[in-house]
Amino acid sequence: MDSFTDELLGIKKDKYAVGDLVKTRTGIDATGESWIGIIRSITVLKNKEGDTKNMYTVDWVDEEAKEVLWYDWYDEDLQLVQRVASC
């Protein structure tokens, strides 16, 4: 429920953390499977109107993905597979 309330109030929090395992929302490879990657960094982008957007740099697990995919992704592009372990 927090995310819905935050969305109504215009609060943008990082949906993912550095180290989270994520996958692409749409099938990208030749077989239609999603690529798997690890969030490397998070950048908050802000435009002149004050709108913010989280941009994630992802290190892809598959070597082929590293050659064909761009590094910068947004909340709506990714889906969480597993949170980073907090020890």
Side-chain angles (χ1 to χ4, degrees):
M1 201 63 177
D2 286 337
S3 61
F4 180 68
T5 303
D6 292 345
E7 187 175 325
L8 288 175
L9 296 174
I11 299 169
K12 294 280 187 176
K13 295 180 183 174
D14 299 342
K15 189 172 184 180
Y16 308 108
V18 172
D20 282 353
L21 184 65
V22 294
K23 66 179 182 176
T24 56
R25 285 198 177 272
T26 57
I28 301 264
D29 69 3
T31 63
E33 295 295 320
S34 298
W35 295 109
I36 300 286
I38 299 168
I39 301 290
R40 182 172 41 134
S41 68
I42 304 166
T43 305
V44 178
L45 304 175
K46 193 173 192 176
N47 65 14
K48 291 180 182 178
E49 290 78 32
D51 298 326
T52 60
K53 191 168 194 174
N54 298 318
M55 183 180 74
Y56 304 93
T57 302
V58 180
D59 284 334
W60 300 103
V61 174
D62 192 319
E63 286 298 323
E64 183 180 342
K66 293 177 185 176
E67 295 173 13
V68 298
L69 297 179
W70 54 92
Y71 289 97
D72 299 330
W73 296 76
Y74 303 96
D75 288 336
E76 60 273 8
D77 301 325
L78 301 171
Q79 186 173 3
L80 182 67
V81 174
Q82 183 176 346
R83 290 257 177 234
V84 65
S86 56
C87 299

